[in-house]
């Protein structure tokens, strides 16, 4: 499985944008970039995914570098409820269904 | 549409007993995954099932662990003769036939005393 690298932790002020980086220099052409988050004492929650183009949904935006070796999850206006561990995961488009979670980034929101 | 349901939410077993964890996927979802999260660690994939079939069990310990997803009823993760090292949170996820997102349940927290 291709690996991802994320900072262990980040802090952000409430109501400000948050940019969570992820490096995936060994990504293959058919790997999708997925983001999940896990709030305290809960199961993971899907956030967003993309292949090549930037993606937006109601929760966040995903900016993918042109060479696809890195990506950034953008929370446009952080709230206290966004405090969680964020996981960047590469998922093969065919055959391998499982998600391989790394250590993720623990995001702390400062009121 | 109810989310993924897991029960029990908390389970305490003595060493040597059996643990049965249940997962009801979201309505219409035919793909189920089980993951384990040991204390202070990340989630690790265990097994992937479709109705009546095990598709990928590469993350399952070779002994004492088994999983099923029958035609009717919930998916079951069964751990025989539990040991203290089995204490963890076990999460189930499901997804529909099309689409990539996995929807996770709230987990079952197993404590082995």
């Amino acid at each position: 499985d291709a690996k991802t690298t994320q900072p262990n932790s980040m802090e952000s002020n409430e109501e400000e944008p948050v940019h969570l980086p992820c490096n995936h220099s060994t990504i293959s052409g058919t790997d999708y970039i997925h983001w999940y988050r896990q709030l305290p004492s809960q199961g993971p929650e899907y956030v967003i995914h993309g292949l090549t183009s930037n993606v937006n949904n109601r929760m966040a935006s995903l900016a993918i570098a042109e060479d696809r070796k890195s990506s950034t999850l953008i929370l446009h206006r952080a709230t206290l409820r966004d405090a969680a561990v964020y996981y960047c995961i590469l998922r093969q488009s065919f055959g391998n269904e499982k998600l391989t979670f790394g250590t993720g980034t623990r995001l702390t929101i400062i009121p | 549409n109810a989310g993924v349901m897991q029960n029990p939410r908390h389970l305490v077993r003595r060493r040597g007993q059996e643990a049965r964890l249940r997962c009801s996927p979201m309505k219409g979802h035919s793909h189920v995954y089980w993951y384990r999260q040991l204390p202070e660690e990340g989630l690790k994939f265990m097994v992937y099932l479709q109705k009546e079939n095990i598709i990928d069990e590469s993350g399952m310990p070779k002994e004492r662990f088994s999983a099923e997803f029958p035609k009717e009823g919930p998916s079951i993760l069964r751990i025989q003769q539990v040991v203290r090292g089995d204490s963890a949170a076990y999460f189930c996820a499901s997804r529909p036939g099309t689409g990539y997102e996995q929807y996770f349940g709230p987990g079952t927290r197993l404590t082995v005393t």
Side-chain angles (χ1 to χ4, degrees), chain A residues 32 34 36 38 40-46 49 87 91-93 95-103 106, chain B residues 9 31 33 35 37 40-45 48 56 58 91 95 99-107 109:
Chain A
Y32 281 80
H34 283 242
Y36 283 75
Q38 187 174 21
S41 300
Q42 294 189 27
E45 175 186 28
Y46 167 82
H49 78 276
Y87 297 97
R91 183 189 179 281
Q92 295 176 11
S93 57
N96 192 340
E97 301 284 341
K98 64 188 179 188
L99 296 175
T100 301
F101 289 83
T103 52
R106 184 173 298 276
Chain B
R9 295 291 307 276
H31 301 251
Y33 308 78
Y35 294 83
Q37 188 168 34
E40 304 304 321
E41 292 190 19
L43 289 98
K44 304 290 184 197
F45 166 80
Y48 162 41
D56 181 355
S58 58
F91 293 97
R95 72 169 178 86
Y100 296 115
E101 304 97 278
Q102 293 185 17
Y103 297 85
F104 283 79
R109 277 147 185 87

Side-chain angles (χ1 to χ4, degrees), chain B residues 21-93:
Chain B
L21 287 62
R22 291 175 186 77
C23 168
S24 296
M26 289 180 70
K27 188 177 179 182
H29 287 197
S30 56
H31 301 251
V32 164
Y33 308 78
W34 286 92
Y35 294 83
R36 176 166 69 172
Q37 188 168 34
L38 294 167
E40 304 304 321
E41 292 190 19
L43 289 98
K44 304 290 184 197
F45 166 80
M46 299 183 76
V47 63
Y48 162 41
L49 310 103
Q50 293 182 29
K51 284 284 187 183
E52 299 184 278
N53 291 305
I54 296 174
I55 307 301
D56 181 355
E57 56 181 346
S58 58
M60 287 277 269
K62 293 284 183 271
E63 296 176 350
R64 302 187 298 108
F65 285 71
S66 62
E68 62 177 13
F69 187 17
K71 190 176 178 183
E72 302 290 338
S75 175
I76 306 286
L77 180 68
R78 183 177 173 216
I79 311 172
Q80 295 178 289
Q81 298 175 315
V82 296
V83 301
R84 287 223 171 100
D86 296 332
S87 295
Y90 291 82
F91 293 97
C92 164

